[in-house]
Amino acid sequence: MMTSATAVAPSQRVGQALPLAANPYLHIGPDRVYNPFTDVHILESEPGYAELRAILAGAVDLAEVSAPMRARLFQGGWIVERGSDLSTSFYLKYVSLEAHTVCNQGCYFCPVSVAPRESHFMPTEQYEDIVRQLSAFKSTIEAVFMISYNEPTVDKRFVDQVRTIREAGLPPAVLTNGTGLTPDRVDAIVAMGGLRFLSINLSTLDRDRYRLDRQGDHLKRVLANLEHAKDAPLAEQMDMVVLGTGDEVHQQDFAAIRDRFAGSRFNVKSFVVNDRAGYLQIGLKARHGSRKLCGCDHVGSRPLQHLHINPHGLCILCCQDYDETSVVGDLNRNSVLEVLTGPEMARARRQVYGLEESSPSFICHNCKFALTR
């Protein structure tokens, strides 16, 4: 949510030879450029693309670009005032609001398997107050995820939490292992209008491997729950994710789960696990070497478009940060808006985009989703 520094119209200011530069937070792809502040792509076939790519490549000076095109690029946020600090700006699309720390499984592809957290539940009053504050951004928020490293259905308040989010005009989203997604809960959520997004994490139909991979013998219960949910309008989008290492066993598990739920509302997808920014010794890893950070592309930009809130009310830079090494705000002391525009978050944005030096231990240096150059 970028705001102009003055009330003067941008086109007028550009026409007055305003010193300009390329927006340093842009994501540059092979045939498009993305502005995470506006959630807009400019495509290769669109007016201004060629000029913007030439500016970004240093092939042309902005003074060589026509005044109307400079105004167009400025209006779209592709170019900005030279020297302007955009690090307190944001476009909030996704929120992770974790109501508690508990997970009833210990999956090999999750840090919970090696370092389970101490049990803590966020007070209901604080949860409701945070949701109320988030409602101020409902015009841009596309999902409020009720999870980080917990299992949301463990909470006895789960259905009430869904209701709280919906009544605030926000879109609830649930990622779950399905153990607590009982028929009664499914029916209750359907009756209130459903979720925006649901993702079931189911990695195998083999009971012995399920128990070994997840440190929990829950497969029979999960499948019974999913049989009830599979044809219900439980969410606008209903995914089932089959995680694995990409080997033959993973491929076979995916095929078996896909066939079992064929024709249902579930869209079954296969994903290879990642190492959680170096926390685990398994899965896809970063290959950055000494390359410089220049952004984040993990379901959008984490520092510019996400807010991760743990059960203690602390805001963490990214879901990959299991040890919570990058705390960017505290909702026990500050409001949601104060966190989003505060100095800790601003500094993290500059570091993620390579505009400020970060230590070698900064989480993005070890994350496969970091953009580098």
mmCIF file of all heavy atoms in Angstrom, residues 236-257:
data_model
loop_
_atom_site.group_PDB
_atom_site.id
_atom_site.type_symbol
_atom_site.label_atom_id
_atom_site.label_comp_id
_atom_site.label_asym_id
_atom_site.label_seq_id
_atom_site.Cartn_x
_atom_site.Cartn_y
_atom_site.Cartn_z
ATOM 1 N N GLU A 236 -14.020 -23.174 -1.023
ATOM 2 C CA GLU A 236 -14.015 -22.791 -2.436
ATOM 3 C C GLU A 236 -12.969 -23.585 -3.196
ATOM 4 O O GLU A 236 -13.194 -24.004 -4.338
ATOM 5 C CB GLU A 236 -13.730 -21.299 -2.574
ATOM 6 C CG GLU A 236 -14.809 -20.388 -2.010
ATOM 7 C CD GLU A 236 -14.404 -18.928 -2.116
ATOM 8 O OE1 GLU A 236 -13.742 -18.561 -3.119
ATOM 9 O OE2 GLU A 236 -14.730 -18.156 -1.199
ATOM 10 N N GLN A 237 -11.824 -23.784 -2.569
ATOM 11 C CA GLN A 237 -10.754 -24.586 -3.168
ATOM 12 C C GLN A 237 -10.355 -25.665 -2.182
ATOM 13 O O GLN A 237 -9.995 -25.371 -1.044
ATOM 14 C CB GLN A 237 -9.548 -23.715 -3.519
ATOM 15 C CG GLN A 237 -8.397 -24.488 -4.162
ATOM 16 C CD GLN A 237 -7.227 -23.596 -4.550
ATOM 17 O OE1 GLN A 237 -7.380 -22.384 -4.676
ATOM 18 N NE2 GLN A 237 -6.057 -24.178 -4.739
ATOM 19 N N MET A 238 -10.410 -26.914 -2.614
ATOM 20 C CA MET A 238 -10.090 -28.042 -1.748
ATOM 21 C C MET A 238 -8.954 -28.836 -2.381
ATOM 22 O O MET A 238 -9.128 -29.493 -3.404
ATOM 23 C CB MET A 238 -11.329 -28.927 -1.547
ATOM 24 C CG MET A 238 -12.432 -28.237 -0.760
ATOM 25 S SD MET A 238 -14.019 -29.130 -0.704
ATOM 26 C CE MET A 238 -13.541 -30.702 0.027
ATOM 27 N N ASP A 239 -7.778 -28.753 -1.761
ATOM 28 C CA ASP A 239 -6.602 -29.463 -2.250
ATOM 29 C C ASP A 239 -6.244 -30.608 -1.308
ATOM 30 O O ASP A 239 -6.562 -30.575 -0.110
ATOM 31 C CB ASP A 239 -5.398 -28.523 -2.351
ATOM 32 C CG ASP A 239 -5.517 -27.532 -3.484
ATOM 33 O OD1 ASP A 239 -6.453 -27.677 -4.307
ATOM 34 O OD2 ASP A 239 -4.686 -26.612 -3.550
ATOM 35 N N MET A 240 -5.587 -31.595 -1.864
ATOM 36 C CA MET A 240 -4.990 -32.656 -1.066
ATOM 37 C C MET A 240 -3.540 -32.766 -1.517
ATOM 38 O O MET A 240 -3.262 -32.996 -2.697
ATOM 39 C CB MET A 240 -5.726 -33.981 -1.271
ATOM 40 C CG MET A 240 -5.266 -35.086 -0.339
ATOM 41 S SD MET A 240 -6.315 -36.553 -0.505
ATOM 42 C CE MET A 240 -7.861 -35.941 0.168
ATOM 43 N N VAL A 241 -2.616 -32.562 -0.596
ATOM 44 C CA VAL A 241 -1.199 -32.501 -0.921
ATOM 45 C C VAL A 241 -0.516 -33.795 -0.512
ATOM 46 O O VAL A 241 -0.615 -34.225 0.648
ATOM 47 C CB VAL A 241 -0.531 -31.297 -0.222
ATOM 48 C CG1 VAL A 241 0.960 -31.306 -0.448
ATOM 49 C CG2 VAL A 241 -1.140 -29.997 -0.737
ATOM 50 N N VAL A 242 0.162 -34.406 -1.468
ATOM 51 C CA VAL A 242 0.927 -35.624 -1.211
ATOM 52 C C VAL A 242 2.400 -35.240 -1.188
ATOM 53 O O VAL A 242 3.003 -34.967 -2.233
ATOM 54 C CB VAL A 242 0.659 -36.688 -2.292
ATOM 55 C CG1 VAL A 242 1.422 -37.973 -1.969
ATOM 56 C CG2 VAL A 242 -0.835 -36.969 -2.416
ATOM 57 N N LEU A 243 2.967 -35.184 -0.001
ATOM 58 C CA LEU A 243 4.366 -34.795 0.170
ATOM 59 C C LEU A 243 5.273 -36.011 0.161
ATOM 60 O O LEU A 243 4.906 -37.088 0.633
ATOM 61 C CB LEU A 243 4.549 -34.035 1.480
ATOM 62 C CG LEU A 243 3.915 -32.651 1.561
ATOM 63 C CD1 LEU A 243 4.027 -32.101 2.967
ATOM 64 C CD2 LEU A 243 4.580 -31.700 0.580
ATOM 65 N N GLY A 244 6.465 -35.837 -0.375
ATOM 66 C CA GLY A 244 7.452 -36.917 -0.403
ATOM 67 C C GLY A 244 8.756 -36.400 -0.948
ATOM 68 O O GLY A 244 8.935 -35.190 -1.165
ATOM 69 N N THR A 245 9.687 -37.300 -1.197
ATOM 70 C CA THR A 245 11.018 -36.900 -1.642
ATOM 71 C C THR A 245 11.179 -36.957 -3.156
ATOM 72 O O THR A 245 12.276 -36.733 -3.668
ATOM 73 C CB THR A 245 12.083 -37.799 -0.987
ATOM 74 O OG1 THR A 245 11.825 -39.172 -1.333
ATOM 75 C CG2 THR A 245 12.062 -37.647 0.532
ATOM 76 N N GLY A 246 10.112 -37.275 -3.873
ATOM 77 C CA GLY A 246 10.184 -37.328 -5.327
ATOM 78 C C GLY A 246 10.626 -38.659 -5.879
ATOM 79 O O GLY A 246 10.777 -38.809 -7.097
ATOM 80 N N ASP A 247 10.825 -39.654 -5.018
ATOM 81 C CA ASP A 247 11.267 -40.965 -5.476
ATOM 82 C C ASP A 247 10.089 -41.799 -5.989
ATOM 83 O O ASP A 247 8.949 -41.334 -6.042
ATOM 84 C CB ASP A 247 12.018 -41.705 -4.364
ATOM 85 C CG ASP A 247 11.165 -41.932 -3.113
ATOM 86 O OD1 ASP A 247 9.942 -41.646 -3.142
ATOM 87 O OD2 ASP A 247 11.716 -42.388 -2.097
ATOM 88 N N GLU A 248 10.351 -43.039 -6.329
ATOM 89 C CA GLU A 248 9.321 -43.901 -6.889
ATOM 90 C C GLU A 248 8.196 -44.168 -5.895
ATOM 91 O O GLU A 248 7.017 -44.214 -6.271
ATOM 92 C CB GLU A 248 9.942 -45.224 -7.348
ATOM 93 C CG GLU A 248 8.957 -46.149 -8.056
ATOM 94 C CD GLU A 248 9.609 -47.413 -8.578
ATOM 95 O OE1 GLU A 248 10.853 -47.509 -8.529
ATOM 96 O OE2 GLU A 248 8.884 -48.318 -9.035
ATOM 97 N N VAL A 249 8.542 -44.333 -4.630
ATOM 98 C CA VAL A 249 7.520 -44.558 -3.612
ATOM 99 C C VAL A 249 6.581 -43.368 -3.519
ATOM 100 O O VAL A 249 5.361 -43.514 -3.415
ATOM 101 C CB VAL A 249 8.176 -44.850 -2.240
ATOM 102 C CG1 VAL A 249 7.120 -44.903 -1.133
ATOM 103 C CG2 VAL A 249 8.951 -46.159 -2.289
ATOM 104 N N HIS A 250 7.148 -42.168 -3.556
ATOM 105 C CA HIS A 250 6.348 -40.946 -3.530
ATOM 106 C C HIS A 250 5.393 -40.912 -4.721
ATOM 107 O O HIS A 250 4.199 -40.602 -4.580
ATOM 108 C CB HIS A 250 7.280 -39.735 -3.547
ATOM 109 C CG HIS A 250 6.579 -38.418 -3.497
ATOM 110 N ND1 HIS A 250 7.172 -37.238 -3.904
ATOM 111 C CD2 HIS A 250 5.325 -38.063 -3.106
ATOM 112 C CE1 HIS A 250 6.335 -36.238 -3.756
ATOM 113 N NE2 HIS A 250 5.196 -36.710 -3.278
ATOM 114 N N GLN A 251 5.889 -41.235 -5.882
ATOM 115 C CA GLN A 251 5.052 -41.228 -7.081
ATOM 116 C C GLN A 251 3.923 -42.257 -6.984
ATOM 117 O O GLN A 251 2.789 -41.993 -7.394
ATOM 118 C CB GLN A 251 5.922 -41.499 -8.306
ATOM 119 C CG GLN A 251 6.954 -40.411 -8.576
ATOM 120 C CD GLN A 251 7.918 -40.783 -9.686
ATOM 121 O OE1 GLN A 251 7.585 -41.527 -10.600
ATOM 122 N NE2 GLN A 251 9.139 -40.271 -9.594
ATOM 123 N N GLN A 252 4.228 -43.414 -6.404
ATOM 124 C CA GLN A 252 3.206 -44.441 -6.239
ATOM 125 C C GLN A 252 2.143 -44.005 -5.226
ATOM 126 O O GLN A 252 0.945 -44.236 -5.424
ATOM 127 C CB GLN A 252 3.852 -45.756 -5.801
ATOM 128 C CG GLN A 252 4.726 -46.397 -6.872
ATOM 129 C CD GLN A 252 5.521 -47.579 -6.356
ATOM 130 O OE1 GLN A 252 5.590 -47.831 -5.142
ATOM 131 N NE2 GLN A 252 6.154 -48.313 -7.264
ATOM 132 N N ASP A 253 2.586 -43.379 -4.144
ATOM 133 C CA ASP A 253 1.635 -42.875 -3.142
ATOM 134 C C ASP A 253 0.717 -41.830 -3.758
ATOM 135 O O ASP A 253 -0.497 -41.829 -3.516
ATOM 136 C CB ASP A 253 2.391 -42.261 -1.960
ATOM 137 C CG ASP A 253 2.995 -43.305 -1.036
ATOM 138 O OD1 ASP A 253 2.428 -44.409 -0.942
ATOM 139 O OD2 ASP A 253 4.031 -43.009 -0.411
ATOM 140 N N PHE A 254 1.295 -40.928 -4.551
ATOM 141 C CA PHE A 254 0.490 -39.899 -5.208
ATOM 142 C C PHE A 254 -0.569 -40.530 -6.107
ATOM 143 O O PHE A 254 -1.746 -40.149 -6.069
ATOM 144 C CB PHE A 254 1.389 -38.964 -6.012
ATOM 145 C CG PHE A 254 0.638 -38.071 -6.950
ATOM 146 C CD1 PHE A 254 -0.186 -37.066 -6.469
ATOM 147 C CD2 PHE A 254 0.724 -38.256 -8.322
ATOM 148 C CE1 PHE A 254 -0.900 -36.245 -7.334
ATOM 149 C CE2 PHE A 254 0.017 -37.446 -9.195
ATOM 150 C CZ PHE A 254 -0.787 -36.442 -8.705
ATOM 151 N N ALA A 255 -0.166 -41.518 -6.901
ATOM 152 C CA ALA A 255 -1.107 -42.160 -7.823
ATOM 153 C C ALA A 255 -2.240 -42.844 -7.060
ATOM 154 O O ALA A 255 -3.411 -42.760 -7.455
ATOM 155 C CB ALA A 255 -0.363 -43.160 -8.710
ATOM 156 N N ALA A 256 -1.901 -43.501 -5.957
ATOM 157 C CA ALA A 256 -2.921 -44.216 -5.176
ATOM 158 C C ALA A 256 -3.915 -43.251 -4.537
ATOM 159 O O ALA A 256 -5.132 -43.489 -4.549
ATOM 160 C CB ALA A 256 -2.243 -45.061 -4.098
ATOM 161 N N ILE A 257 -3.421 -42.141 -3.994
ATOM 162 C CA ILE A 257 -4.303 -41.150 -3.358
ATOM 163 C C ILE A 257 -5.138 -40.430 -4.413
ATOM 164 O O ILE A 257 -6.338 -40.196 -4.220
ATOM 165 C CB ILE A 257 -3.468 -40.163 -2.522
ATOM 166 C CG1 ILE A 257 -2.827 -40.894 -1.338
ATOM 167 C CG2 ILE A 257 -4.324 -39.000 -2.029
ATOM 168 C CD1 ILE A 257 -1.827 -40.071 -0.563
#
